[in-house]
Amino acid sequence: MADIVVRRDNIHGMAVDRYATALRDRLPNHDVEVARTPAAERDLVADATVLTGSSVSEDLLDAADSLRLFASTYAGYDHLPLDELAAHDVALTTASGVHAPNVAEHVVGAWLSFARGFFTARRRQADHVWQSFKSNDFAGSRVCVLGMGAIGSAIVDRLDGFDVETVAVRHSPEKDTPTDEVYGYDDVHEAVEDARYVALACPLTAETRGLVDDDLLTTMHPETVLVNVARGPVVDTDALVDALQRNHVGAAALDVTDPEPLPSDHRLWDFENVLVTPHNAGHTPSYFDRLADIVAENVRRAEETGAWDGLQNQISL
């Protein structure tokens, strides 16, 4: 029987077999199997030490007598049965950081595209119109990143060499932060006040839900390019639409929306200065390889220490 079981969760159109292959390459002394049906899943999990996938049910946990680790393939974990995992003494790890390089590229690419007028150029190209247009410099700008987890940190890392002033907003502003300035969420207005480029990369919490509201959008400069790769409800959608209509914000690149998926008749689709992508910033062909690196390292760590604790991306239960 397999000691590592991979649930049948294809991600971003990539077959989960790639994930199993990546785990086998990194853990050649372990038996890695893909559970391709619900029946096979219950059968395989009975003797498994590690189960990995996007979710796990209480019933499956009840059937997993030897399970020591559930390695989630998602960065978020609020959808998981945390109490049941704790009751079964099953450790939990996440895929935090797997998306960071490509999401950071998405953010910087959106900022540069709006700064240099690529969307204007594309529309005129479609109409076969040769006409000059104004564009802006990204260099010399004040750039603000809300949230300094793996994604926020990766965004700031990629700003090296662009000659911009960097500002961070984080829950614990006293922590060492690789930006020119850092603020807490209580001082978010001061952080965005003169920023021309703002990225939302924070988790959705009671503190951040509706954070970007009419009040904060009014504080932002009317040329600000706002990018949301956090969660849709971090932004008050009606307030954003109103700000766009009144030219109180320069542009928005939304990889997440509220509601999501964005209805086909929603007003956000029709603004020329809005880029909507279908929660796609997280896509990367390296997803399974990066995830397998985390899981394999945690398996090796547990083998060395004899304990399923102190693991990379482990969530305290």
Side-chain angles (χ1 to χ4, degrees), residues 8 30 47 63 74 121 128-129 144-145 160 194 265 294 304 308:
R8 59 190 194 284
H30 289 263
D47 298 308
Y74 287 172
H128 296 190
V129 173
C144 181
V145 179
D160 283 349
D194 198 33
D265 60 351
I294 295 171
E304 292 171 0
W308 294 90

Side-chain angles (χ1 to χ4, degrees), residues 146-170:
L146 280 71
M148 285 302 294
I151 291 174
S153 298
I155 294 169
V156 172
D157 287 345
R158 279 151 183 78
L159 294 175
D160 283 349
F162 279 105
D163 191 25
V164 295
E165 177 188 3
T166 56
V167 182
V169 178
R170 65 183 308 167

Side-chain angles (χ1 to χ4, degrees), residues 14-316:
M14 298 183 294
V16 74
D17 299 81
R18 291 177 57 178
Y19 182 27
T21 298
L23 286 170
R24 292 186 190 105
D25 289 344
R26 289 157 177 78
L27 297 168
N29 296 324
H30 289 263
D31 186 8
V32 180
E33 295 290 342
V34 177
R36 301 189 182 280
T37 67
E41 194 170 68
R42 290 184 63 85
D43 184 42
L44 287 169
V45 80
D47 298 308
T49 303
V50 177
L51 176 66
T52 182
S54 62
S55 63
V56 60
S57 66
E58 296 177 39
D59 289 344
L60 203 55
L61 287 172
D62 288 338
D65 295 332
S66 303
L67 194 65
R68 300 302 311 278
L69 171 67
F70 177 70
S72 176
T73 54
Y74 287 172
Y77 56 89
D78 54 353
H79 65 292
L80 297 173
L82 304 183
D83 291 341
E84 287 72 20
L85 285 164
H88 286 79
D89 195 27
V90 175
L92 170 64
T93 59
T94 72
S96 178
V98 168
H99 301 93
N102 41 286
V103 175
E105 291 174 1
H106 181 99
V107 171
V108 176
W111 280 335
L112 292 172
S113 294
F114 277 113
R116 301 310 304 163
F118 288 168
F119 299 111
T120 297
R122 188 64 173 175
R123 287 192 296 272
R124 293 185 182 179
Q125 179 180 344
D127 294 333
H128 296 190
V129 173
W130 180 281
Q131 181 183 3
S132 297
F133 54 86
K134 294 180 179 179
S135 59
N136 294 309
D137 290 337
F138 187 61
S141 302
R142 179 180 173 93
V143 179
C144 181
V145 179
L146 280 71
M148 285 302 294
I151 291 174
S153 298
I155 294 169
V156 172
D157 287 345
R158 279 151 183 78
L159 294 175
D160 283 349
F162 279 105
D163 191 25
V164 295
E165 177 188 3
T166 56
V167 182
V169 178
R170 65 183 308 167
H171 182 69
S172 303
E174 68 278 2
K175 290 184 177 180
D176 186 39
T177 305
T179 54
D180 297 312
E181 297 178 28
V182 58
Y183 294 85
Y185 282 98
D186 289 343
D187 298 316
V188 65
H189 284 265
E190 287 71 22
V192 305
E193 177 185 3
D194 198 33
R196 294 301 192 273
Y197 301 91
V198 175
L200 308 177
C202 50
L204 178 61
T205 65
E207 185 177 32
T208 62
R209 183 178 293 273
L211 178 68
V212 182
D213 57 8
D214 178 71
D215 199 29
L216 191 63
L217 287 165
T218 300
T219 297
M220 291 183 190
H221 192 278
E223 295 179 2
T224 296
V225 178
L226 175 69
V227 180
N228 189 6
V229 291
R231 288 293 183 265
V234 173
V235 176
D236 181 327
T237 301
D238 290 340
L240 177 60
V241 169
D242 185 66
L244 289 163
Q245 289 176 326
R246 297 173 181 271
N247 287 324
H248 288 174
V249 64
L254 308 173
D255 191 56
V256 289
T257 59
D258 183 25
E260 186 175 313
L262 192 66
S264 60
D265 60 351
H266 201 281
R267 289 174 292 175
L268 281 172
W269 289 112
D270 298 323
F271 288 99
E272 290 191 349
N273 57 341
V274 172
L275 171 67
V276 177
T277 49
H279 210 141
N280 205 66
H283 176 70
T284 167
S286 301
Y287 190 96
F288 284 139
D289 286 323
R290 295 175 189 165
L291 184 57
D293 286 339
I294 295 171
V295 176
E297 171 59 28
N298 284 336
V299 170
R300 287 191 289 264
R301 190 176 302 181
E303 290 176 338
E304 292 171 0
T305 64
W308 294 90
D309 197 18
L311 307 178
Q312 183 178 350
N313 288 356
Q314 186 166 4
I315 303 302
S316 175

